[in-house]
Amino acid sequence: MKRFQLSATPFEIAPLRAGLLRADAGAYSSFEGWVRDHNDGRPVRGLHYEAYAALAEAEGERILDEARTRFELVDALCVHRTGELAIGEIAVWVGVSAAHRGMTFDACRFIIDEVKRRVPIWKHERYADGDADWLHPDAGAPGETR
């Protein structure tokens, strides 16, 4: 089973979460990244994600493998959208399970930060004034990417 997936369509979280339930897991944490209606003081109408799929999936798998080892996870999954997304849609989801809660919190942060930093996915934002920009993965709020 692929732990890192790209999805061109909206996806359901409940089956992903259910896939992380294990008898040896005492904790589960998740992160959801949503399309917001603004960026850098500008109103946003929507966005489009593009990915170099083969490389994105391979690098995403490496990140999840690193997290599983580093945080002693029972399991970890991540799904990132591609294509057109509207305001409020889920752009990325991370879920992890582990024996203890602390590891799950830390692992979610590590995974989303590394996915945004290392995985070749590009965001094209459309603004209310009709302008649009491709955003560099390193752009964003302090301590964040994309």
Side-chain angles (χ1 to χ4, degrees), residues 104-122:
T104 66
F105 297 139
D106 295 342
C108 276
R109 160 84 77 180
F110 171 82
I111 291 167
I112 191 60
D113 287 350
E114 292 302 302
V115 165
K116 295 300 180 183
R117 188 173 72 79
R118 294 167 40 188
V119 176
I121 298 173
W122 300 275

Side-chain angles (χ1 to χ4, degrees), residues 19-66:
L20 293 169
L21 297 174
R22 305 277 197 291
D24 56 344
Y28 159 85
S29 292
S30 66
F31 169 81
E32 293 177 22
W34 306 327
V35 178
R36 63 184 179 273
D37 69 356
H38 67 281
N39 184 38
D40 202 21
R42 298 178 74 184
V44 172
R45 289 246 167 123
L47 57 85
H48 179 91
Y49 280 111
E50 288 190 15
Y52 181 162
L55 185 56
E57 290 169 353
E59 190 63 20
E61 290 289 337
R62 276 192 284 279
I63 292 165
L64 294 176
D65 286 344
E66 289 171 26

Side-chain angles (χ1 to χ4, degrees), residues 25-30 71-73 96-108:
Y28 159 85
S29 292
S30 66
F71 300 98
E72 300 176 24
L73 300 176
V96 301
S97 57
H100 303 285
R101 69 182 176 269
M103 294 181 282
T104 66
F105 297 139
D106 295 342
C108 276

